[in-house]
Amino acid sequence: TTPCGWGECTIVVGDVAGHSIENACELLYTRYSRVLHECDLSVTTQVFTRIHLSDIVNQKHAVRNSRLYSVLNHGAVSMIEQPPLCEGPISLHAYHISPGSNKRLWRSHLNHDPQSWRNGALICGANYRMLWLANCDGQDRFDGHAQTEDVLDVLGAQLGLHGMDLRHNTVRT
């Protein structure tokens, strides 16, 4: 907790090998919910979550249809194919901010396409704004240069909507 009363919390939750993606999502939902309760956090404190999948093409639809995703979707949600260290099919890394007493946190959830794949969250406190963008991918283009151009174009456009630009207002996670 900062001297001003704001708290930051990073949560990492993993699965164990041997579960289907559906069962793993349910297990992570239970574990994540328990941690939120124990740390006095909620969906209102959630800012950003990165979901690590072992096989994104075959798992992302099951994840998006899970109870876990319905909870995580209150902030920006990024899904990447990077095998979880725990050797299960899924793990997550979530970032929360909790305002102190008599403090206010304003948020806006952003969807940037009809499928809600490209998404984000704008979080505003008393003296700052954070724009979290997720899943700004190359839209199925299989050329690395073209994918990078697409990603930077999308990010630049989204930042521009909020009076920001890539050079001055970007940190890659």
Side-chain angles (χ1 to χ4, degrees):
T1 305
T2 67
C4 299
W6 290 81
E8 290 183 296
C9 186
T10 300
I11 301 169
V12 178
V13 183
D15 179 32
V16 294
H19 290 117
S20 68
I21 188 64
E22 292 81 8
N23 289 343
C25 285
E26 192 61 28
L27 178 62
L28 259 64
Y29 170 81
T30 301
R31 290 177 177 174
Y32 184 66
S33 297
R34 184 174 2 130
V35 171
L36 291 181
H37 177 74
E38 290 172 2
C39 296
D40 198 25
L41 300 170
S42 70
V43 295
T44 63
T45 62
Q46 187 172 327
V47 174
F48 180 81
T49 304
R50 165 132 318 132
I51 299 173
H52 299 265
L53 296 170
S54 58
D55 182 4
I56 194 168
V57 171
N58 294 308
Q59 295 171 328
K60 73 178 180 181
H61 297 294
V63 172
R64 291 184 68 182
N65 292 324
S66 69
R67 287 198 308 167
L68 174 66
Y69 190 82
S70 69
V71 170
L72 299 177
N73 199 30
H74 288 84
V77 181
S78 169
M79 279 194 251
I80 62 170
E81 182 168 343
Q82 180 178 2
L85 291 175
C86 57
E87 298 182 9
I90 183 174
S91 67
L92 65 87
H93 174 196
Y95 174 65
H96 287 254
I97 295 178
S98 56
S101 58
N102 301 322
K103 306 288 186 209
R104 189 162 166 253
L105 187 67
W106 180 85
R107 69 178 49 245
S108 176
H109 191 260
L110 310 170
N111 284 315
H112 303 301
D113 64 40
Q115 297 81 30
S116 298
W117 177 247
R118 292 178 174 173
N119 67 86
L122 178 63
I123 311 296
C124 300
N127 300 307
Y128 68 90
R129 291 185 313 154
M130 290 189 294
L131 178 63
W132 292 78
L133 299 173
N135 298 330
C136 295
D137 60 7
Q139 293 291 328
D140 298 323
R141 292 175 70 182
F142 295 103
D143 172 275
H145 183 265
Q147 288 177 350
T148 301
E149 283 183 337
D150 286 353
V151 168
L152 293 176
D153 287 347
V154 168
L155 288 174
Q158 293 304 317
L159 288 168
L161 292 174
H162 300 280
M164 299 181 232
D165 63 51
L166 282 169
R167 181 173 177 221
H168 297 100
N169 307 105
T170 303
V171 175
R172 185 180 183 279
T173 62

